[in-house]
Amino acid sequence: MRIGDERVREATAQQLRRDFGNITFKERESVNEFGIRITNLANNLHSLGDNITDVEIVKKLLQVVPDRLNQAAVSLEMFLDLNNVTVEEAIGRLRAFEERTKPKQVTDAMGCLMLCEED
């Protein structure tokens, strides 16, 4: 019975490893949402005994960033030692870049164009 249990665990870990290799940002997905997905996947791999490291997760994260975050990913790769960066730190830095580059809102909640006092 335990042999079958071990085979199921190995098959599940193999599928999760395949999912990790194929993970990408979904259209209009935020860094925070993607960070949750990739860390959940890594936690599931850990629970099955797979020794995935933070370095692998950070490198994968930086490899699959969408074009809007490409500049931030290049900066992180150039200026940080990726062997010493935690997943949380990488996600936090990408989130900061994402927030900084968001387009400014020019309409209110009802879709009306916001004007300044002079207009």
mmCIF file of all heavy atoms in Angstrom, residues 46-91:
data_model
loop_
_atom_site.group_PDB
_atom_site.id
_atom_site.type_symbol
_atom_site.label_atom_id
_atom_site.label_comp_id
_atom_site.label_asym_id
_atom_site.label_seq_id
_atom_site.Cartn_x
_atom_site.Cartn_y
_atom_site.Cartn_z
ATOM 1 N N HIS A 46 7.279 21.505 -2.033
ATOM 2 C CA HIS A 46 7.980 21.267 -0.765
ATOM 3 C C HIS A 46 7.273 20.194 0.061
ATOM 4 O O HIS A 46 7.912 19.326 0.657
ATOM 5 C CB HIS A 46 8.089 22.550 0.066
ATOM 6 C CG HIS A 46 9.196 23.457 -0.351
ATOM 7 N ND1 HIS A 46 10.525 23.118 -0.233
ATOM 8 C CD2 HIS A 46 9.178 24.706 -0.874
ATOM 9 C CE1 HIS A 46 11.266 24.110 -0.668
ATOM 10 N NE2 HIS A 46 10.473 25.085 -1.072
ATOM 11 N N SER A 47 5.954 20.285 0.108
ATOM 12 C CA SER A 47 5.195 19.327 0.926
ATOM 13 C C SER A 47 5.305 17.901 0.387
ATOM 14 O O SER A 47 5.132 16.942 1.131
ATOM 15 C CB SER A 47 3.731 19.745 1.028
ATOM 16 O OG SER A 47 3.085 19.611 -0.215
ATOM 17 N N LEU A 48 5.599 17.766 -0.903
ATOM 18 C CA LEU A 48 5.773 16.441 -1.501
ATOM 19 C C LEU A 48 7.222 15.975 -1.473
ATOM 20 O O LEU A 48 7.559 14.932 -2.009
ATOM 21 C CB LEU A 48 5.252 16.439 -2.939
ATOM 22 C CG LEU A 48 3.738 16.599 -3.075
ATOM 23 C CD1 LEU A 48 3.360 16.768 -4.535
ATOM 24 C CD2 LEU A 48 3.011 15.407 -2.466
ATOM 25 N N GLY A 49 8.093 16.768 -0.850
ATOM 26 C CA GLY A 49 9.484 16.357 -0.695
ATOM 27 C C GLY A 49 10.409 16.845 -1.785
ATOM 28 O O GLY A 49 11.586 16.491 -1.803
ATOM 29 N N ASP A 50 9.931 17.652 -2.709
ATOM 30 C CA ASP A 50 10.778 18.198 -3.768
ATOM 31 C C ASP A 50 11.551 19.387 -3.199
ATOM 32 O O ASP A 50 10.987 20.247 -2.544
ATOM 33 C CB ASP A 50 9.923 18.654 -4.954
ATOM 34 C CG ASP A 50 10.738 18.854 -6.205
ATOM 35 O OD1 ASP A 50 11.806 19.484 -6.124
ATOM 36 O OD2 ASP A 50 10.296 18.389 -7.272
ATOM 37 N N ASN A 51 12.833 19.426 -3.424
ATOM 38 C CA ASN A 51 13.679 20.473 -2.855
ATOM 39 C C ASN A 51 13.869 21.632 -3.829
ATOM 40 O O ASN A 51 14.967 21.889 -4.301
ATOM 41 C CB ASN A 51 15.036 19.902 -2.447
ATOM 42 C CG ASN A 51 14.917 18.942 -1.299
ATOM 43 O OD1 ASN A 51 14.047 19.096 -0.450
ATOM 44 N ND2 ASN A 51 15.762 17.935 -1.271
ATOM 45 N N ILE A 52 12.805 22.335 -4.113
ATOM 46 C CA ILE A 52 12.894 23.522 -4.962
ATOM 47 C C ILE A 52 13.395 24.673 -4.091
ATOM 48 O O ILE A 52 12.939 24.854 -2.967
ATOM 49 C CB ILE A 52 11.540 23.838 -5.622
ATOM 50 C CG1 ILE A 52 11.703 24.916 -6.657
ATOM 51 C CG2 ILE A 52 10.497 24.182 -4.611
ATOM 52 C CD1 ILE A 52 10.506 25.061 -7.569
ATOM 53 N N THR A 53 14.340 25.429 -4.599
ATOM 54 C CA THR A 53 14.960 26.490 -3.804
ATOM 55 C C THR A 53 14.386 27.858 -4.155
ATOM 56 O O THR A 53 13.781 28.028 -5.218
ATOM 57 C CB THR A 53 16.481 26.518 -4.038
ATOM 58 O OG1 THR A 53 16.722 26.854 -5.414
ATOM 59 C CG2 THR A 53 17.120 25.180 -3.703
ATOM 60 N N ASP A 54 14.616 28.806 -3.258
ATOM 61 C CA ASP A 54 14.202 30.184 -3.525
ATOM 62 C C ASP A 54 14.891 30.725 -4.775
ATOM 63 O O ASP A 54 14.305 31.504 -5.513
ATOM 64 C CB ASP A 54 14.524 31.085 -2.329
ATOM 65 C CG ASP A 54 13.440 31.063 -1.280
ATOM 66 O OD1 ASP A 54 12.438 30.349 -1.465
ATOM 67 O OD2 ASP A 54 13.588 31.774 -0.268
ATOM 68 N N VAL A 55 16.132 30.321 -4.990
ATOM 69 C CA VAL A 55 16.887 30.786 -6.159
ATOM 70 C C VAL A 55 16.170 30.365 -7.438
ATOM 71 O O VAL A 55 16.007 31.175 -8.362
ATOM 72 C CB VAL A 55 18.328 30.239 -6.138
ATOM 73 C CG1 VAL A 55 19.069 30.602 -7.404
ATOM 74 C CG2 VAL A 55 19.069 30.742 -4.917
ATOM 75 N N GLU A 56 15.703 29.126 -7.496
ATOM 76 C CA GLU A 56 14.973 28.646 -8.673
ATOM 77 C C GLU A 56 13.677 29.425 -8.879
ATOM 78 O O GLU A 56 13.332 29.771 -10.012
ATOM 79 C CB GLU A 56 14.631 27.160 -8.533
ATOM 80 C CG GLU A 56 15.808 26.220 -8.605
ATOM 81 C CD GLU A 56 15.379 24.792 -8.381
ATOM 82 O OE1 GLU A 56 15.318 24.380 -7.208
ATOM 83 O OE2 GLU A 56 15.072 24.108 -9.384
ATOM 84 N N ILE A 57 12.990 29.693 -7.797
ATOM 85 C CA ILE A 57 11.708 30.408 -7.886
ATOM 86 C C ILE A 57 11.935 31.840 -8.356
ATOM 87 O O ILE A 57 11.230 32.332 -9.245
ATOM 88 C CB ILE A 57 10.979 30.381 -6.525
ATOM 89 C CG1 ILE A 57 10.679 28.945 -6.116
ATOM 90 C CG2 ILE A 57 9.698 31.189 -6.590
ATOM 91 C CD1 ILE A 57 10.239 28.789 -4.679
ATOM 92 N N VAL A 58 12.933 32.512 -7.797
ATOM 93 C CA VAL A 58 13.228 33.895 -8.184
ATOM 94 C C VAL A 58 13.641 33.956 -9.647
ATOM 95 O O VAL A 58 13.168 34.816 -10.401
ATOM 96 C CB VAL A 58 14.313 34.505 -7.275
ATOM 97 C CG1 VAL A 58 14.825 35.826 -7.834
ATOM 98 C CG2 VAL A 58 13.783 34.698 -5.873
ATOM 99 N N LYS A 59 14.493 33.048 -10.075
ATOM 100 C CA LYS A 59 14.934 33.046 -11.475
ATOM 101 C C LYS A 59 13.767 32.779 -12.413
ATOM 102 O O LYS A 59 13.655 33.410 -13.473
ATOM 103 C CB LYS A 59 16.051 32.028 -11.680
ATOM 104 C CG LYS A 59 17.365 32.498 -11.081
ATOM 105 C CD LYS A 59 18.485 31.521 -11.315
ATOM 106 C CE LYS A 59 19.785 32.046 -10.718
ATOM 107 N NZ LYS A 59 20.908 31.130 -10.923
ATOM 108 N N LYS A 60 12.891 31.865 -12.040
ATOM 109 C CA LYS A 60 11.719 31.584 -12.864
ATOM 110 C C LYS A 60 10.815 32.809 -12.931
ATOM 111 O O LYS A 60 10.310 33.166 -13.991
ATOM 112 C CB LYS A 60 10.950 30.372 -12.298
ATOM 113 C CG LYS A 60 9.752 29.982 -13.117
ATOM 114 C CD LYS A 60 10.172 29.535 -14.506
ATOM 115 C CE LYS A 60 8.990 29.019 -15.287
ATOM 116 N NZ LYS A 60 9.364 28.541 -16.607
ATOM 117 N N LEU A 61 10.617 33.456 -11.794
ATOM 118 C CA LEU A 61 9.798 34.662 -11.735
ATOM 119 C C LEU A 61 10.328 35.725 -12.690
ATOM 120 O O LEU A 61 9.565 36.341 -13.434
ATOM 121 C CB LEU A 61 9.773 35.193 -10.299
ATOM 122 C CG LEU A 61 9.078 36.521 -10.042
ATOM 123 C CD1 LEU A 61 7.583 36.398 -10.278
ATOM 124 C CD2 LEU A 61 9.340 36.984 -8.623
ATOM 125 N N LEU A 62 11.632 35.938 -12.673
ATOM 126 C CA LEU A 62 12.227 36.969 -13.529
ATOM 127 C C LEU A 62 12.242 36.566 -15.002
ATOM 128 O O LEU A 62 12.265 37.430 -15.875
ATOM 129 C CB LEU A 62 13.638 37.301 -13.041
ATOM 130 C CG LEU A 62 13.712 37.936 -11.652
ATOM 131 C CD1 LEU A 62 15.155 38.153 -11.250
ATOM 132 C CD2 LEU A 62 12.922 39.221 -11.581
ATOM 133 N N GLN A 63 12.226 35.284 -15.281
ATOM 134 C CA GLN A 63 12.207 34.815 -16.669
ATOM 135 C C GLN A 63 10.860 35.022 -17.340
ATOM 136 O O GLN A 63 10.794 35.229 -18.546
ATOM 137 C CB GLN A 63 12.542 33.323 -16.749
ATOM 138 C CG GLN A 63 13.969 32.984 -16.490
ATOM 139 C CD GLN A 63 14.179 31.476 -16.408
ATOM 140 O OE1 GLN A 63 13.229 30.697 -16.495
ATOM 141 N NE2 GLN A 63 15.416 31.067 -16.235
ATOM 142 N N VAL A 64 9.785 34.952 -16.571
ATOM 143 C CA VAL A 64 8.455 34.951 -17.173
ATOM 144 C C VAL A 64 7.705 36.273 -17.013
ATOM 145 O O VAL A 64 6.516 36.337 -17.317
ATOM 146 C CB VAL A 64 7.589 33.790 -16.615
ATOM 147 C CG1 VAL A 64 8.221 32.454 -16.934
ATOM 148 C CG2 VAL A 64 7.337 33.952 -15.135
ATOM 149 N N VAL A 65 8.370 37.325 -16.542
ATOM 150 C CA VAL A 65 7.670 38.598 -16.371
ATOM 151 C C VAL A 65 7.145 39.087 -17.716
ATOM 152 O O VAL A 65 7.778 38.881 -18.751
ATOM 153 C CB VAL A 65 8.558 39.688 -15.719
ATOM 154 C CG1 VAL A 65 8.938 39.325 -14.313
ATOM 155 C CG2 VAL A 65 9.753 39.988 -16.565
ATOM 156 N N PRO A 66 5.986 39.735 -17.706
ATOM 157 C CA PRO A 66 5.464 40.299 -18.958
ATOM 158 C C PRO A 66 6.286 41.517 -19.379
ATOM 159 O O PRO A 66 7.089 42.044 -18.609
ATOM 160 C CB PRO A 66 4.028 40.686 -18.599
ATOM 161 C CG PRO A 66 4.014 40.831 -17.131
ATOM 162 C CD PRO A 66 5.068 39.913 -16.594
ATOM 163 N N ASP A 67 6.070 41.966 -20.597
ATOM 164 C CA ASP A 67 6.853 43.079 -21.144
ATOM 165 C C ASP A 67 6.788 44.331 -20.288
ATOM 166 O O ASP A 67 7.761 45.069 -20.187
ATOM 167 C CB ASP A 67 6.387 43.408 -22.565
ATOM 168 C CG ASP A 67 6.758 42.320 -23.551
ATOM 169 O OD1 ASP A 67 7.694 41.544 -23.265
ATOM 170 O OD2 ASP A 67 6.114 42.235 -24.621
ATOM 171 N N ARG A 68 5.654 44.575 -19.640
ATOM 172 C CA ARG A 68 5.516 45.793 -18.842
ATOM 173 C C ARG A 68 6.453 45.799 -17.626
ATOM 174 O O ARG A 68 6.736 46.847 -17.065
ATOM 175 C CB ARG A 68 4.073 45.983 -18.405
ATOM 176 C CG ARG A 68 3.595 44.990 -17.383
ATOM 177 C CD ARG A 68 2.142 45.238 -16.978
ATOM 178 N NE ARG A 68 1.788 44.501 -15.796
ATOM 179 C CZ ARG A 68 1.363 43.250 -15.769
ATOM 180 N NH1 ARG A 68 1.222 42.585 -16.918
ATOM 181 N NH2 ARG A 68 1.067 42.650 -14.634
ATOM 182 N N LEU A 69 6.952 44.620 -17.217
ATOM 183 C CA LEU A 69 7.848 44.514 -16.065
ATOM 184 C C LEU A 69 9.273 44.132 -16.454
ATOM 185 O O LEU A 69 10.113 43.896 -15.589
ATOM 186 C CB LEU A 69 7.303 43.473 -15.083
ATOM 187 C CG LEU A 69 5.930 43.759 -14.495
ATOM 188 C CD1 LEU A 69 5.418 42.549 -13.738
ATOM 189 C CD2 LEU A 69 5.987 44.968 -13.610
ATOM 190 N N ASN A 70 9.534 44.095 -17.732
ATOM 191 C CA ASN A 70 10.837 43.648 -18.215
ATOM 192 C C ASN A 70 11.977 44.526 -17.704
ATOM 193 O O ASN A 70 13.026 44.026 -17.316
ATOM 194 C CB ASN A 70 10.837 43.607 -19.742
ATOM 195 C CG ASN A 70 11.754 42.550 -20.277
ATOM 196 O OD1 ASN A 70 12.212 41.686 -19.544
ATOM 197 N ND2 ASN A 70 12.012 42.616 -21.567
ATOM 198 N N GLN A 71 11.771 45.825 -17.682
ATOM 199 C CA GLN A 71 12.808 46.743 -17.216
ATOM 200 C C GLN A 71 13.157 46.480 -15.757
ATOM 201 O O GLN A 71 14.331 46.483 -15.369
ATOM 202 C CB GLN A 71 12.336 48.174 -17.403
ATOM 203 C CG GLN A 71 13.351 49.213 -17.007
ATOM 204 C CD GLN A 71 12.817 50.625 -17.200
ATOM 205 O OE1 GLN A 71 11.677 50.829 -17.603
ATOM 206 N NE2 GLN A 71 13.643 51.604 -16.900
ATOM 207 N N ALA A 72 12.163 46.228 -14.939
ATOM 208 C CA ALA A 72 12.405 45.941 -13.516
ATOM 209 C C ALA A 72 13.149 44.623 -13.356
ATOM 210 O O ALA A 72 14.053 44.514 -12.517
ATOM 211 C CB ALA A 72 11.085 45.897 -12.761
ATOM 212 N N ALA A 73 12.782 43.618 -14.140
ATOM 213 C CA ALA A 73 13.447 42.321 -14.052
ATOM 214 C C ALA A 73 14.919 42.436 -14.422
ATOM 215 O O ALA A 73 15.784 41.860 -13.746
ATOM 216 C CB ALA A 73 12.741 41.308 -14.953
ATOM 217 N N VAL A 74 15.214 43.185 -15.470
ATOM 218 C CA VAL A 74 16.605 43.382 -15.879
ATOM 219 C C VAL A 74 17.379 44.098 -14.782
ATOM 220 O O VAL A 74 18.509 43.727 -14.459
ATOM 221 C CB VAL A 74 16.677 44.156 -17.217
ATOM 222 C CG1 VAL A 74 18.101 44.595 -17.526
ATOM 223 C CG2 VAL A 74 16.122 43.308 -18.348
ATOM 224 N N SER A 75 16.773 45.102 -14.171
ATOM 225 C CA SER A 75 17.428 45.826 -13.084
ATOM 226 C C SER A 75 17.723 44.912 -11.901
ATOM 227 O O SER A 75 18.806 44.970 -11.318
ATOM 228 C CB SER A 75 16.557 46.984 -12.612
ATOM 229 O OG SER A 75 16.388 47.919 -13.642
ATOM 230 N N LEU A 76 16.754 44.070 -11.542
ATOM 231 C CA LEU A 76 16.976 43.131 -10.437
ATOM 232 C C LEU A 76 18.112 42.166 -10.756
ATOM 233 O O LEU A 76 18.940 41.878 -9.896
ATOM 234 C CB LEU A 76 15.700 42.358 -10.136
ATOM 235 C CG LEU A 76 14.549 43.149 -9.522
ATOM 236 C CD1 LEU A 76 13.315 42.265 -9.398
ATOM 237 C CD2 LEU A 76 14.933 43.711 -8.187
ATOM 238 N N GLU A 77 18.148 41.675 -11.984
ATOM 239 C CA GLU A 77 19.204 40.745 -12.377
ATOM 240 C C GLU A 77 20.575 41.404 -12.359
ATOM 241 O O GLU A 77 21.568 40.780 -12.002
ATOM 242 C CB GLU A 77 18.915 40.173 -13.767
ATOM 243 C CG GLU A 77 17.753 39.210 -13.793
ATOM 244 C CD GLU A 77 17.344 38.805 -15.191
ATOM 245 O OE1 GLU A 77 17.791 39.441 -16.177
ATOM 246 O OE2 GLU A 77 16.558 37.853 -15.303
ATOM 247 N N MET A 78 20.620 42.678 -12.740
ATOM 248 C CA MET A 78 21.900 43.374 -12.814
ATOM 249 C C MET A 78 22.428 43.787 -11.443
ATOM 250 O O MET A 78 23.623 43.712 -11.198
ATOM 251 C CB MET A 78 21.774 44.615 -13.700
ATOM 252 C CG MET A 78 21.642 44.293 -15.169
ATOM 253 S SD MET A 78 21.405 45.757 -16.183
ATOM 254 C CE MET A 78 22.811 46.756 -15.764
ATOM 255 N N PHE A 79 21.548 44.242 -10.550
ATOM 256 C CA PHE A 79 22.008 44.881 -9.329
ATOM 257 C C PHE A 79 21.889 44.028 -8.071
ATOM 258 O O PHE A 79 22.381 44.422 -7.024
ATOM 259 C CB PHE A 79 21.278 46.205 -9.119
ATOM 260 C CG PHE A 79 21.580 47.197 -10.207
ATOM 261 C CD1 PHE A 79 20.579 47.626 -11.064
ATOM 262 C CD2 PHE A 79 22.865 47.675 -10.398
ATOM 263 C CE1 PHE A 79 20.860 48.522 -12.078
ATOM 264 C CE2 PHE A 79 23.149 48.564 -11.420
ATOM 265 C CZ PHE A 79 22.142 48.999 -12.262
ATOM 266 N N LEU A 80 21.243 42.889 -8.153
ATOM 267 C CA LEU A 80 21.106 42.032 -6.978
ATOM 268 C C LEU A 80 21.798 40.699 -7.216
ATOM 269 O O LEU A 80 21.875 40.221 -8.340
ATOM 270 C CB LEU A 80 19.628 41.768 -6.667
ATOM 271 C CG LEU A 80 18.771 42.966 -6.282
ATOM 272 C CD1 LEU A 80 17.331 42.515 -6.087
ATOM 273 C CD2 LEU A 80 19.289 43.628 -5.025
ATOM 274 N N ASP A 81 22.280 40.107 -6.147
ATOM 275 C CA ASP A 81 22.811 38.754 -6.211
ATOM 276 C C ASP A 81 21.617 37.806 -6.086
ATOM 277 O O ASP A 81 21.053 37.642 -5.001
ATOM 278 C CB ASP A 81 23.810 38.519 -5.081
ATOM 279 C CG ASP A 81 24.406 37.127 -5.106
ATOM 280 O OD1 ASP A 81 24.185 36.380 -6.089
ATOM 281 O OD2 ASP A 81 25.101 36.780 -4.131
ATOM 282 N N LEU A 82 21.204 37.221 -7.195
ATOM 283 C CA LEU A 82 19.995 36.403 -7.205
ATOM 284 C C LEU A 82 20.107 35.178 -6.308
ATOM 285 O O LEU A 82 19.087 34.591 -5.935
ATOM 286 C CB LEU A 82 19.651 35.979 -8.636
ATOM 287 C CG LEU A 82 19.287 37.115 -9.593
ATOM 288 C CD1 LEU A 82 18.913 36.554 -10.960
ATOM 289 C CD2 LEU A 82 18.174 37.982 -9.040
ATOM 290 N N ASN A 83 21.317 34.804 -5.930
ATOM 291 C CA ASN A 83 21.492 33.667 -5.029
ATOM 292 C C ASN A 83 21.135 34.018 -3.581
ATOM 293 O O ASN A 83 20.975 33.122 -2.755
ATOM 294 C CB ASN A 83 22.927 33.145 -5.098
ATOM 295 C CG ASN A 83 23.236 32.565 -6.458
ATOM 296 O OD1 ASN A 83 22.401 31.910 -7.070
ATOM 297 N ND2 ASN A 83 24.428 32.828 -6.951
ATOM 298 N N ASN A 84 21.012 35.313 -3.287
ATOM 299 C CA ASN A 84 20.710 35.741 -1.923
ATOM 300 C C ASN A 84 19.385 36.489 -1.796
ATOM 301 O O ASN A 84 19.082 37.017 -0.738
ATOM 302 C CB ASN A 84 21.837 36.640 -1.396
ATOM 303 C CG ASN A 84 23.140 35.880 -1.282
ATOM 304 O OD1 ASN A 84 23.154 34.704 -0.933
ATOM 305 N ND2 ASN A 84 24.235 36.536 -1.601
ATOM 306 N N VAL A 85 18.610 36.560 -2.874
ATOM 307 C CA VAL A 85 17.341 37.280 -2.864
ATOM 308 C C VAL A 85 16.223 36.304 -2.516
ATOM 309 O O VAL A 85 16.151 35.203 -3.065
ATOM 310 C CB VAL A 85 17.073 37.918 -4.246
ATOM 311 C CG1 VAL A 85 15.701 38.562 -4.297
ATOM 312 C CG2 VAL A 85 18.144 38.926 -4.576
ATOM 313 N N THR A 86 15.349 36.715 -1.596
ATOM 314 C CA THR A 86 14.205 35.870 -1.264
ATOM 315 C C THR A 86 13.092 36.104 -2.276
ATOM 316 O O THR A 86 13.062 37.123 -2.979
ATOM 317 C CB THR A 86 13.664 36.198 0.143
ATOM 318 O OG1 THR A 86 13.169 37.535 0.144
ATOM 319 C CG2 THR A 86 14.731 36.025 1.204
ATOM 320 N N VAL A 87 12.182 35.161 -2.334
ATOM 321 C CA VAL A 87 11.038 35.267 -3.244
ATOM 322 C C VAL A 87 10.212 36.494 -2.875
ATOM 323 O O VAL A 87 9.776 37.255 -3.750
ATOM 324 C CB VAL A 87 10.173 33.989 -3.188
ATOM 325 C CG1 VAL A 87 8.947 34.120 -4.055
ATOM 326 C CG2 VAL A 87 10.982 32.773 -3.595
ATOM 327 N N GLU A 88 9.997 36.704 -1.582
ATOM 328 C CA GLU A 88 9.201 37.838 -1.118
ATOM 329 C C GLU A 88 9.829 39.165 -1.525
ATOM 330 O O GLU A 88 9.127 40.096 -1.908
ATOM 331 C CB GLU A 88 9.030 37.781 0.407
ATOM 332 C CG GLU A 88 8.182 36.633 0.900
ATOM 333 C CD GLU A 88 8.937 35.304 0.953
ATOM 334 O OE1 GLU A 88 10.191 35.299 0.926
ATOM 335 O OE2 GLU A 88 8.257 34.262 1.009
ATOM 336 N N GLU A 89 11.151 39.248 -1.434
ATOM 337 C CA GLU A 89 11.839 40.482 -1.814
ATOM 338 C C GLU A 89 11.691 40.749 -3.307
ATOM 339 O O GLU A 89 11.426 41.880 -3.728
ATOM 340 C CB GLU A 89 13.318 40.407 -1.432
ATOM 341 C CG GLU A 89 14.074 41.678 -1.727
ATOM 342 C CD GLU A 89 15.544 41.597 -1.348
ATOM 343 O OE1 GLU A 89 15.995 40.554 -0.845
ATOM 344 O OE2 GLU A 89 16.246 42.595 -1.572
ATOM 345 N N ALA A 90 11.862 39.725 -4.128
ATOM 346 C CA ALA A 90 11.733 39.887 -5.582
ATOM 347 C C ALA A 90 10.313 40.297 -5.954
ATOM 348 O O ALA A 90 10.112 41.215 -6.763
ATOM 349 C CB ALA A 90 12.115 38.592 -6.294
ATOM 350 N N ILE A 91 9.329 39.654 -5.353
ATOM 351 C CA ILE A 91 7.935 39.992 -5.637
ATOM 352 C C ILE A 91 7.653 41.420 -5.173
ATOM 353 O O ILE A 91 6.997 42.193 -5.873
ATOM 354 C CB ILE A 91 6.979 38.984 -4.970
ATOM 355 C CG1 ILE A 91 7.083 37.633 -5.674
ATOM 356 C CG2 ILE A 91 5.538 39.487 -5.000
ATOM 357 C CD1 ILE A 91 6.352 36.501 -4.978
#
